[in-house]
Amino acid sequence: MIEMKMDTTSPTPAPPAHPTFLQALLVWVKIGLLSFGGPAGQIALMHRELVDRRKWVSDKRFLHALNYCMLLPGPEAQQLAVYTGWLLHGVRGGLVAGALFVLPGALFMLGISVAYMMFGQVPWFEAIFYGLKAAVMAIVAAAVWRIGGKVLKNPVMWAIAAVSFIAIFQFGVPFPLIIISALVLGLTLGRRFPQYFKTGGGHGAAAETTAHYVISDSVPDRIGIPTLGRTLLKTAFWLVLWILPVVFCLGLLGRGHVLTEEGLFFGKAAMVTFGGAYAVLPYVAQQAVEVQGWLSATQMMDGLGLAETTPGPLILVLQFVGFVGGWNDPGGLSPLAMAALASGMTTWVTFIPGYLFIFVGAPFMERSRGNLSFETALSAVTAAVAGVILNLAVWFSWHVIRPEPGAFDWVPLALGAVFLFLLRKMKWDVLTVVGLGAAVGLALHLAGVR
């Protein structure tokens, strides 16, 4: 009698198909339209769409890219979009991902800037963004929950995150100092105690290796070894592209023209803004309001409020500053025409460096994977980043529920709790929650509650 043996091993799930360029383009459009909530919400949205839902990029590769972007000046969320787009489809993928991440918010900010300067504030418009703020609070909270759960897997990682949060939240320690400290800690102690500098535990780490993602450590590296010649050529190309409009305005309009001045000022700001928009805003506000006189302090605060409630990086507030500066100093053009040119100049010099940093530096970052010292150092940075993201979440939420000193608004807090429940427990899509937030804000205004 022949005994039949059943194969009890579970079948290995088929890896997801590599997305087409069109599929990725549509996802980047969605991310660009829904990237509310500053860097914390934007990073969470990308993680949800690229890692959790579509499994295009593994956790480990996503965090590896995020760690590098957090070390760079400028908007880290836009740079992360360029990096992950580049991983999926090379240079054209990075170009499209970075552009679509910024473009919807930039166009939105341009339209709002025109309406602001021509008509002032519109009540129903503010009501929509009142509801959106509650949705953003929930998205950011879900981000901290999800990213923290994947990163903080042992007491050392928890301690680094906690110290980072306290340092920046309570004592105002500069963001670069926090990241550099974490990097040094990971480099010095990571090789001796590598078990404490892992972003995943034993089983989790194994699952990460065998899990099927389009881009993961188990996928053969298709990125060639970066050469000195190619690196210098790319650096020169992006540097020339970045400064070309400023040089053109300098030669044609002179040093004192508003377009030249804004190009020089915001180009310099793009290279020194470590820590994102929150770190650079005090410097920009002082220079733009008190030194250059491009706008008033009230307009600066209004611009920050608009940037916080529109899609795209929070650093788009610089676009608003540039727009108002051009409007107030039109020269021989109409205020609208000069404001639009100034807005474009500001946006260009702010975001083009992100392409430079990624296309030049990312190939070297990819070659560093597997290096024990580098991996433990970046793991420590990852834990510090989790603490910094928590700080951003608390900062944003605090300003939503306390819009002015002595005031407390419980409505967005209650709405945020409901939206968080819908995101975490009911698994609602971010788009649905954002739409619901806008609808609730408008309904409250029409009902006379707001």
Side-chain angles (χ1 to χ4, degrees), residues 407-430:
F408 182 84
D409 192 352
W410 63 269
V411 175
L413 184 62
L415 289 175
V418 173
F419 293 151
L420 180 60
F421 173 80
L422 295 176
L423 285 168
R424 291 287 304 174
K425 299 299 182 180
M426 305 302 293
K427 306 299 181 183
W428 278 31
D429 187 75
V430 172

Side-chain angles (χ1 to χ4, degrees), residues 123 177 186 273 288 298 349 351 353 389 417:
L177 182 58
T273 55
T298 300
V349 298
F351 291 104
I389 292 176

Side-chain angles (χ1 to χ4, degrees), residues 282-302:
Y283 168 68
V284 169
Q286 181 186 27
Q287 293 294 313
V289 174
E290 299 177 8
V291 179
Q292 300 290 348
W294 288 330
L295 74 174
S296 67
T298 300
Q299 288 174 328
M300 183 71 203
M301 293 304 298
D302 288 343

Side-chain angles (χ1 to χ4, degrees), residues 168-209:
I168 195 170
F169 180 80
Q170 185 65 36
F171 299 104
V173 176
F175 172 85
L177 182 58
I178 292 174
I179 298 301
I180 291 172
S181 300
L183 192 69
V184 171
L185 183 67
L187 283 172
T188 54
L189 298 181
R191 181 170 287 276
R192 186 175 181 183
F193 306 103
Q195 68 274 24
Y196 297 116
F197 288 84
K198 294 180 180 179
T199 54
H203 295 296
E208 169 69 17
T209 303

